[in-house]
Amino acid sequence: MNVLINITYHGQSGNYLVNMDPGVDDNTIRGICEEAVRAGEVPGIAPALPRNAFAHFVIDRFHGDQPRFVVRPKVPFGVAAG
Amino acid sequence: MREVCFILVGEKILRVYFGSETSIPDLRERWEVIWEHRHEITEIAHSHPGNFLAFSGEDLTTMQAVEAGTGCQFVWSIVTRDGFLSSKGGAELLRAAAPWWLGFIRRLSYDESPRRLPSPTNQERKQTNECAD
């Protein structure tokens, strides 16, 4: 199934359409996104990306006729582990 | 006690978020606000219980992720009953000067009046109304 992934990094945002199982885990999605950006396949995001750039990013998943994922920074705070 | 987060544009409170005694959970809307206002936001402050005046592991990874995502640097602050600590670009500073909202975030976090939000002072109302404009 085609999944549209929106990625935000360093003040830039871009979309990446990929054929994948929408049930795949978050870590796999982070890895796919990192590789896609480095390969220059995400218009709008510069390919120069540090390793594990998305380590502290979360995936918001929107299911429907066109599954859409949003890869964005996590924003919790606090003394307790998240 | 509950953890409270303020997103600030200068002296104005852009958004307020409430959490539990020990955390403020992740929220997509909070990220959307930060992203939309990333060029205006100057400071993101939140309270900690007791005298825990330090950035937690959760705080540090959030700070790193938000700055990586926005490409912007912010002032990040921790507020306790008696302390006020800020960090920018990895450099921490204990702040002695108290912005007007410091008392307000403490009252929202630590006011132990049963089941009632503390009423804002006139100055706090004025500042909040200016923010809402």
Side-chain angles (χ1 to χ4, degrees), chain B residues 58-87:
Chain B
E58 182 85 281
D59 296 339
L60 291 169
T61 50
T62 287
M63 291 154 60
Q64 177 197 55
V66 167
E67 293 193 348
T70 59
C72 298
Q73 253 190 10
F74 304 109
V75 174
W76 301 89
S77 297
I78 300 289
V79 175
T80 61
R81 281 183 187 275
D82 304 312
F84 184 27
L85 174 71
S86 293
S87 172

Side-chain angles (χ1 to χ4, degrees), chain B residues 20-62:
Chain B
S20 70
E21 283 187 4
T22 55
S23 70
I24 300 170
D26 181 70
L27 186 68
R28 183 173 73 247
E29 185 268 350
R30 188 176 313 124
W31 161 249
E32 289 171 350
V33 168
I34 293 171
W35 174 252
E36 184 181 340
H37 297 277
R38 63 193 182 279
H39 296 304
E40 310 169 71
I41 291 170
T42 50
E43 186 166 0
I44 300 174
H46 74 278
S47 53
H48 273 179
N51 289 313
F52 187 69
L53 192 65
F55 292 91
S56 66
E58 182 85 281
D59 296 339
L60 291 169
T61 50
T62 287

